[in-house]
Amino acid sequence: MPATPQRGRTARRLTIGAAVLAAAGLTAATLPAGADTGHAARTGRTVDVQLLSFNDFHGNLEPPQGSSGTVEEAQPDGTKKTVPAGGVEYLAQSLRTARKGHPYSVTAAAGDLVGASPLLSGLFHDEPTVEAMNKLDLDVTSVGNHEFDEGRTELTRLQKGGCHPKDGCYEKGRKFRGADFPYLTANVTDEKTGKPLLKPYTVWRHKGVKIGFIGVTLEGTPDIVNAEGIKGLKFHDEVATINKYAKVLNKQGVKSIVALIHEGGMPASTSYNYHCDSPGPGDGISGPITDIAKHVTSKVDALVTGHTHQAYACTIPDPSGRPRTVTSAASYGKLYTDTTLTYDRRTRDIVRTSVKAPGAANHVVDRTQPKAADMTSLITRWNKLAAPVAGRPVGHISADIAGRGATTPESPLGDVISDAQLEATAADGKGGAQLALMNPGGVRSDLAFTASGSEGDGVVTYGEAFTVQPFTNMMNVVDLTGAQLLTALQQQVSGPNETSPKILQVSKGLTYTLDLTKKGADRVVKDTVKLNGTALDPAKTYRVAMNEFLAGGGDGFTAFKTATNKYVGPSDLDAFTAYLTAHSSATNPLTPPKADRITVVK
């Protein structure tokens, strides 16, 4: 069954027009001719606008492997069902099907469309993903932290087009045209000029209906990306920025506003269809987005969020006490959110009362529906280019090795990766590392036993290894005292990481107890921290291996910035693939580790 043809862009436009002028406090530009199709199209006082949204796609053009490619669905009898989901062939088909019968439909995203991507997209600097987003008719997105992985220049190229400055064009006769949709960077400004890096907002118009979109990433982006990627940029408070541009839009006569925010929350249940407004509005969700939602101006009618890779469709009261939807569609294209915005043509605002917010629900991008043919062609084309690199076997496993999909602080794949990093840097002349630490957010997937292609079950390809470790961070080995190392372990569960712990994955020989019944730094039980069975000595110097992101203090681990005597080793990906090759074969595959180095008390 062929995919529904792409909708014509002449019917629904995003006009950015006066964004830059407005940001400078100048008069807005005149609206383009034809932006309003006139009274003939106006058949009633109100019209329902369909807002389709998703977030944190991360270049997952093909269905994600292992648990990364599933969603949890709560059943009427109280049980939970695991449903395979995701893949751009199915996401495009789902969105096209959802749009049928909805003459007013707009599609938006909340950041991290690219970055930390599987090899099929990452190998080509995410051009395939931008091309796919153009084809599925994305209208607008905010940036996320991962849009800055390769720096501001590369983000600008993804928006405006042009071949990569180093790798050039990938296909003869084809020049990358960039995104048809605007990336919004309202709270990201140039340190010198004070102006937003890209457009701060945009306005969607269709038959007299106008909806403004303001896009922001989390203010803490500098804490979770490499410093080089954001050099010369300043990241501002999300609430203050959204409130500022909501006023700008109102002055232009745009009263209906949606905020796209790359920051999120944690619902009380992992089921995508969990009712997070039970027993009261927003009672079932916590995390940064709850405070943001309570303070974003009432001029904003809905919040589309992301970053935490969670699924929720909640209502949280705005500052005036009216309910307002706050949604997130998990990650990797496994879900999409369908929100109904009832637009009042007279007031030009979204109808919201004290008892009713816009209706929103998450839907599974299931793999039982037909594939979008144009996306299949896109994947086939890029796979052909990637095949010489992607299909090379690098190891063998006896069963799934859980990483991103693990439900415990320490994951089996985290153990494998940290062991690989230790082995790559332990020898004299290669760093002399005694232990290795890996940030959990850098483990991007599972290793699945079932073959993803023609390689055979249990075979790990280079492409699959790349999906797990896509950043190609260089390994660093540094000197840390036992006291500094203990401080770093405490930073996993204190300071900025107290409410959402970031538990480092540890190499063999490092053991300790994590007591989650306690608070803050006390969760790390000091006298249990041992290396090869010997208690950590606060005064002794240890050689510690970690990737350059952690060594730079990423993820709130400022203790690592005080390290000395740095040695730069191979990339984390090279260390990982070398370890898989050295420790596995077809007859003796690698067995998932027990993940018992950190004793967790709950």
Side-chain angles (χ1 to χ4, degrees):
M1 176 179 173
T4 303
Q6 182 177 350
R7 297 171 296 156
R9 291 207 172 254
T10 55
R12 11 164 238 98
R13 284 192 296 275
L14 282 164
T15 22
I16 297 159
V20 176
L21 290 174
L26 301 176
T27 304
T30 303
L31 295 180
D36 190 330
T37 57
H39 295 285
R42 302 181 183 187
T43 57
R45 168 77 180 263
T46 63
V47 61
D48 283 346
V49 177
Q50 179 190 57
L51 170 62
L52 301 176
S53 58
F54 57 95
N55 51 276
D56 296 275
F57 184 72
H58 289 291
N60 278 264
L61 298 171
E62 295 178 300
Q65 282 200 301
S67 59
S68 295
T70 63
V71 293
E72 195 175 74
E73 183 178 74
Q75 303 298 299
D77 63 0
T79 61
K80 294 179 180 180
K81 177 182 178 183
T82 299
V83 183
V88 78
E89 295 160 299
Y90 303 109
L91 176 61
Q93 191 68 20
S94 292
L95 295 175
R96 290 164 180 169
T97 299
R99 289 172 186 145
K100 291 178 180 178
H102 294 276
Y104 297 83
S105 184
V106 57
T107 304
D112 277 9
L113 294 180
V114 300
S117 303
L119 185 134
L120 177 59
S121 186
L123 185 64
F124 306 105
H125 300 279
D126 282 309
E127 289 182 20
T129 293
V130 173
E131 184 179 327
M133 295 297 110
N134 288 342
K135 287 179 178 292
L136 63 73
D137 230 5
L138 180 65
D139 287 303
V140 58
T141 185
S142 67
V143 289
N145 53 290
H146 282 284
E147 265 81 16
F148 294 93
D149 283 348
E150 294 190 48
R152 61 188 295 177
T153 301
E154 177 62 6
L155 171 57
T156 303
R157 186 184 77 88
L158 291 181
Q159 177 71 87
K160 297 182 178 180
C163 297
H164 191 269
K166 291 183 179 179
D167 294 342
C169 295
Y170 297 109
E171 295 174 283
K172 189 175 181 180
R174 280 182 184 259
K175 182 180 178 182
F176 177 58
R177 66 176 186 170
D180 288 346
F181 50 90
Y183 271 104
L184 303 182
T185 60
N187 69 329
V188 185
T189 60
D190 185 285
E191 286 183 347
K192 292 182 179 179
T193 66
K195 295 180 179 180
L197 176 63
L198 298 172
K199 302 297 181 182
Y201 67 87
T202 191
V203 180
W204 177 84
R205 306 169 189 268
H206 184 55
K207 295 182 179 179
V209 173
K210 296 187 294 186
I211 299 178
F213 288 87
I214 302 166
V216 299
T217 185
L218 70 156
E219 184 182 8
T221 292
D223 298 327
I224 53 176
V225 299
N226 276 323
E228 194 61 32
I230 55 168
K231 195 173 181 179
L233 296 176
K234 189 173 182 179
F235 292 77
H236 303 269
D237 179 79
E238 304 95 335
V239 173
T241 302
I242 293 168
N243 292 352
K244 169 187 173 181
Y245 285 108
K247 289 180 181 178
V248 171
L249 285 165
N250 272 195
K251 287 180 180 178
Q252 294 183 18
V254 180
K255 306 296 184 181
S256 301
I257 302 173
V258 175
L260 307 175
I261 310 172
H262 192 71
E263 178 62 288
M266 299 296 292
S269 170
T270 52
S271 297
Y272 81 88
N273 55 344
Y274 164 66
H275 182 50
C276 70
D277 281 351
S278 178
D283 284 351
I285 186 171
S286 60
I289 199 60
T290 58
D291 188 57
I292 290 172
K294 290 173 183 175
H295 291 91
V296 163
T297 175
S298 303
K299 293 180 175 68
V300 173
D301 299 293
L303 278 58
V304 176
T305 75
H307 188 55
T308 58
H309 291 206
Q310 300 300 306
Y312 46 85
C314 308
T315 56
I316 297 176
D318 68 17
S320 71
R322 291 190 299 164
R324 179 168 57 190
T325 56
V326 180
T327 64
S328 174
S331 61
Y332 302 166
K334 295 180 289 186
L335 300 174
Y336 71 92
T337 310
D338 191 333
T339 303
T340 300
L341 302 172
T342 300
Y343 182 90
D344 187 315
R345 290 189 182 279
R346 186 175 67 81
T347 65
R348 292 174 291 175
D349 205 351
I350 300 302
V351 177
R352 287 197 293 136
T353 68
S354 60
V355 294
K356 182 184 178 184
N362 278 321
H363 301 274
V364 179
V365 176
D366 70 84
R367 300 182 198 164
T368 60
Q369 64 186 310
K371 297 178 179 180
D374 57 341
M375 296 300 175
T376 302
S377 297
L378 180 147
I379 289 171
T380 300
R381 194 178 98 242
W382 287 102
N383 261 331
K384 189 176 292 185
L385 292 171
V389 176
R392 176 169 60 88
V394 295
H396 298 77
I397 56 176
S398 64
D400 288 356
I401 304 182
R404 192 75 176 181
T407 58
T408 52
E410 177 188 357
S411 71
L413 191 51
D415 284 1
V416 173
I417 290 170
S418 53
D419 285 352
Q421 294 180 353
L422 176 60
E423 185 165 299
T425 56
D428 290 339
K430 292 188 175 182
Q434 297 167 274
L435 69 147
L437 302 169
M438 173 65 194
N439 56 306
V443 184
R444 303 303 302 184
S445 183
D446 302 334
L447 279 183
F449 177 79
T450 302
S452 59
S454 59
E455 72 274 10
D457 290 348
V459 178
V460 180
T461 65
Y462 182 83
E464 290 166 343
F466 184 99
T467 298
V468 171
Q469 292 269 266
F471 298 111
T472 318
N473 278 312
M474 302 309 292
M475 291 305 304
N476 288 183
V477 185
V478 296
D479 281 353
L480 287 170
T481 65
Q484 289 172 312
L485 184 54
L486 179 60
T487 297
L489 293 177
Q490 291 172 331
Q491 287 175 344
Q492 299 175 110
V493 288
S494 62
N497 294 330
E498 182 164 1
T499 56
S500 183
K502 291 183 174 67
I503 307 304
L504 296 169
Q505 307 300 285
V506 299
S507 59
K508 59 184 177 182
L510 183 63
T511 58
Y512 69 95
T513 296
L514 186 66
D515 189 345
L516 298 180
T517 66
K518 297 180 179 180
K519 293 184 178 181
D522 289 339
R523 291 171 175 171
V524 175
V525 183
K526 292 182 181 180
D527 59 7
T528 66
V529 183
K530 297 179 180 180
L531 181 60
N532 300 320
T534 302
L536 196 69
D537 183 345
K540 184 178 178 180
T541 297
Y542 297 88
R543 293 291 285 165
V544 185
M546 64 190 77
N547 61 45
E548 58 186 323
F549 169 73
L550 270 182
D555 274 352
F557 290 97
T558 55
F560 293 139
K561 296 175 72 173
T562 63
T564 58
N565 194 21
K566 181 172 72 173
Y567 170 87
V568 179
S571 74
D572 51 6
L573 178 59
D574 286 346
F576 184 44
T577 56
Y579 184 87
L580 291 172
T581 300
H583 292 272
S584 68
S585 66
T587 56
N588 188 26
L590 183 68
T591 301
K594 294 179 180 179
D596 57 0
R597 298 164 187 177
I598 303 173
T599 301
V600 180
V601 178
K602 295 182 179 180

